[in-house]
Each structure stands twice: as C-alpha cells, then as structure tokens.
Amino acid sequence: SSDYIWGTRTLMIKELSYVIAIAEKGNVSKAAESLFISQPSLSRYIKDLENRLGVQLFQRINNRLILTHAGEKYVETAKKITE
C-alpha cells in the first residue's frame, strides 16, 4: 500500500537526519537534544546502522565524533536525499 511506502520513506529520511545531525554537532548528546530523542537511543541507532552497513561512519577523537571516509560519503548522499 502507499501508506507503507510513504511510512518507510519517512522513516528513512528521519534516520538519515540522525547521521547528519551527529556529523554537524560532532557529539551524540547535542545531536540527540536537537532531534528530541534520547542519547542512548541515538547511540544505539548509530551502532546498529554501522553493523548493518558493515562500516564505521564515525571515529571518536577527543570526545568528538568525526566522520570516517565512509561516513563522509554517507552524509553527502543523505543530504542529497533529504534536500
């Protein structure tokens, strides 16, 4: 049904926005706050996403999350999809 398709698309865009927010904020807590979700939920989502993709999107450096090369490509594509 079209509801299923639109529901899936909405979920995908929401999930893409999670990665974009972390990339922009450099911090899961700040990103979670801006997205109005809990920090543990966002951390769990990112871990699950990285496991599904089989790549690391973020590298932790001095308490900041920095995009890996794969993460940069993911965010670049995510921004195109969510525009």
Side-chain angles (χ1 to χ4, degrees):
S1 85
S2 63
D3 286 345
Y4 176 76
I5 294 168
W6 286 113
T8 301
R9 178 172 167 70
T10 301
L11 180 61
M12 181 185 74
I13 289 173
K14 183 187 292 189
E15 291 182 345
L16 294 173
S17 71
Y18 292 175
V19 178
I20 293 168
I22 295 171
E24 290 175 348
K25 302 287 183 186
N27 176 294
V28 175
S29 296
K30 290 177 184 171
E33 188 177 313
S34 74
L35 295 163
F36 304 103
I37 62 173
S38 73
Q39 181 271 326
S41 294
L42 185 55
S43 293
R44 193 169 34 256
Y45 166 73
I46 294 301
K47 187 175 188 173
D48 290 346
L49 175 63
E50 288 177 330
N51 287 336
R52 278 197 323 256
L53 296 174
V55 296
Q56 187 176 359
L57 298 175
F58 295 95
Q59 182 176 6
R60 187 174 293 282
I61 301 174
N62 298 329
N63 289 333
R64 283 189 54 82
L65 289 176
I66 307 297
L67 288 167
T68 61
H69 181 69
E72 289 174 4
K73 295 297 180 189
Y74 187 95
V75 168
E76 184 180 306
T77 302
K79 285 182 176 181
K80 288 177 184 172
I81 291 169
T82 59
E83 285 177 349

